[in-house]
Amino acid sequence: METTFSAIKADVGSVAGHHVVPEELEESAISVLEEAKGKDIFDYFVTHCGDDLELIITHDKGEESEEVYEIAWNAFLKATEKAKELGLYGAGQDLLSDAFSGNIKGLGPGIAEMEFKERKSNPVFTFMMDKTEPGAFNLPMYKIFADPFNTAGLVLDPNMHSGFVFEVWDIKESKKINFYCPDDLYDMLALIGAKSRYVIKRAYPKEDNPKANPQEPAAVISTEKLSHIAGEYVGKDDPVAVVRGQSGLPAAGEILEPFTHPELVSGWMKGSHNGPLMPVPVEDAAPTRFDGPPRAICLGFQVKDGMLIGPVDSFADPAFDKAREKAHQVSDYMRAHGPFEPHRLPEEEMEYTTLPDVMEKINHRFEDMD
Ligand code: F6R
Ligand code: MG
Ligand code: MG
């Protein structure tokens, strides 16, 4: 049986400031998805990561389904109406158009989806981040699918011993390239270290993996560049990712292990600062300190006949306490730099923030030097 797993998110309003999606908005979205369940979609789960409303939908319509996107759009629209009624902050922020025109892409919401033939058992992990950008997934995806110090299976499991293929997008030039790892590892790292420009879009099993179909992604990441779509700063494009695991693919523990390192990501206050990515349970996905620090949550599901079993709140494990503690220490250290780089983003990346407006005010005061 072919099942499509779609994770679709949008910031359509929150309490207080860019902080947390309240229950009322989740209920609005649920009412739309409940209506579609058993008809156009198999199943759904609604949650939030900070100020982002997250819809997880299973169906048999394949990727980029107009029908499914319209359902998601209507769920965001209904939540927006509620947000406006309650006077929430940023109501309807990521719905950049008044009307749905067949494809949700380019309209604001972020999407990570994959179609796969159900195996005997299908563990699927949905990662959701707030106050950061899609490139924040580069380091963990590299570790999960290419680093033998993270993923023991790359060494020990004959099914995945030959490695994985990474599809990397250059979001500045709108180009893409496939890297066959481990052979292309160093070439790939030369690019994906520049995570604001080169983003991992998908990871595939290799042709000779007997347990997994090389046409079906093992991981997919949302890469919509909201600030570019809107042409002005409307918040970072807080990303989502879907990862399938086990039985010839990385194990659950190998998929979660990279998040023990609170990597520095860009986002945080005004989408303009580097800060540590803190893995938290859903209830702690409520960033307040300097509007952060950036958060990552993960929900683990089993998918059976298109239905969602679970989820488990993967980062609720105390084994991630140390990562959180380190994130606090790194937050203090980075915050002490105030407006100085590398806490504040490098100049090129400030282009899509509110800084150019400030620069405009003082530009006329510059004089040429001899
Ligand atoms: C970052 C974010 C917040 C806002 C900040 C200012 O992604 O959403 O840090 O940028 O709270 O928001 P405004 O300009 O709406 O007052
Ligand atoms: Mg917001
Ligand atoms: Mg957000």
Side-chain angles (χ1 to χ4, degrees), residues 7-306:
I8 309 179
K9 53 84 36 180
D11 177 348
V12 294
S14 47
V15 183
H18 295 277
H19 186 187
V20 169
V21 176
E23 233 173 85
E24 291 94 323
L25 264 55
E26 289 190 10
E27 281 161 10
S28 301
I30 287 170
S31 70
V32 172
L33 298 179
E34 186 60 36
E35 180 80 8
K37 185 175 165 170
K39 296 177 210 150
D40 295 319
I41 63 174
F42 290 144
D43 204 359
Y44 69 88
F45 190 82
V46 173
T47 187
H48 68 274
C49 184
D51 58 9
D52 295 294
L53 181 57
E54 316 272 357
L55 315 179
I56 293 159
I57 300 171
T58 51
H59 54 95
D60 62 356
K61 308 271 186 298
E63 290 178 31
E64 302 202 29
S65 153
E66 197 172 313
E67 267 169 286
V68 174
Y69 285 177
E70 188 165 13
I71 293 164
W73 182 260
N74 289 337
F76 290 132
L77 215 56
K78 187 138 187 215
T80 296
E81 280 163 21
K82 191 73 190 173
K84 286 185 175 159
E85 182 192 318
L86 298 174
L88 298 193
Y89 200 69
Q93 175 190 291
D94 286 358
L95 303 191
L96 303 175
S97 164
D98 293 332
F100 177 73
S101 57
N103 198 328
I104 210 167
K105 284 190 178 160
L107 292 184
I111 306 142
E113 59 183 351
M114 58 164 82
E115 187 180 22
F116 58 92
K117 194 170 188 311
E118 285 194 22
R119 304 191 290 172
K120 202 166 78 192
S121 179
N122 304 277
V124 182
F125 297 85
T126 308
F127 290 94
M128 296 153 271
M129 295 181 183
D130 188 32
K131 304 291 187 281
T132 186
E133 61 179 5
F137 277 110
N138 281 9
L139 179 52
M141 290 298 162
Y142 154 72
K143 284 189 172 173
I144 295 166
F145 293 103
D147 178 7
F149 281 70
N150 178 87
T151 297
L154 293 169
V155 178
L156 303 179
D157 180 351
N159 299 305
M160 54 169 139
H161 197 73
S162 66
F164 288 87
V165 183
F166 291 77
E167 181 185 325
V168 173
W169 285 13
D170 174 348
I171 50 180
K172 201 166 163 199
E173 297 283 332
S174 292
K175 288 181 179 164
K176 58 181 182 176
I177 178 170
N178 284 341
F179 288 111
Y180 298 81
C181 292
D183 289 13
D184 291 339
L185 203 54
Y186 300 157
D187 291 335
M188 183 172 82
L189 284 170
L191 298 190
I192 64 167
K195 58 188 171 28
S196 65
R197 173 166 177 183
Y198 300 100
V199 294
I200 296 172
K201 177 65 188 175
R202 293 185 182 87
Y204 291 94
K206 283 256 182 80
E207 296 279 346
D208 56 0
N209 184 326
K211 290 247 178 111
N213 182 343
Q215 310 299 327
E216 295 172 349
V220 60
I221 297 104
S222 68
T223 47
E224 286 67 32
K225 211 50 184 149
L226 196 53
S227 52
H228 292 202
I229 298 167
E232 62 178 69
Y233 185 73
V234 288
K236 277 275 172 204
D237 33 351
D238 306 320
V240 285
V242 178
V243 184
R244 291 188 299 127
Q246 304 287 159
S247 193
L249 297 174
E254 291 167 332
I255 292 168
L256 299 171
E257 176 69 11
F259 295 88
T260 55
H261 167 61
E263 58 158 330
L264 287 175
V265 296
S266 60
W268 209 344
M269 175 58 76
K270 298 186 187 298
S272 308
H273 294 81
N274 282 307
L277 181 67
M278 189 156 78
V280 291
V282 176
E283 64 171 344
D284 291 334
T288 52
R289 180 183 179 182
F290 200 53
D291 286 359
R295 302 296 148 105
I297 58 171
C298 177
L299 294 180
F301 295 92
Q302 287 290 141
V303 177
K304 173 72 179 159
D305 300 331

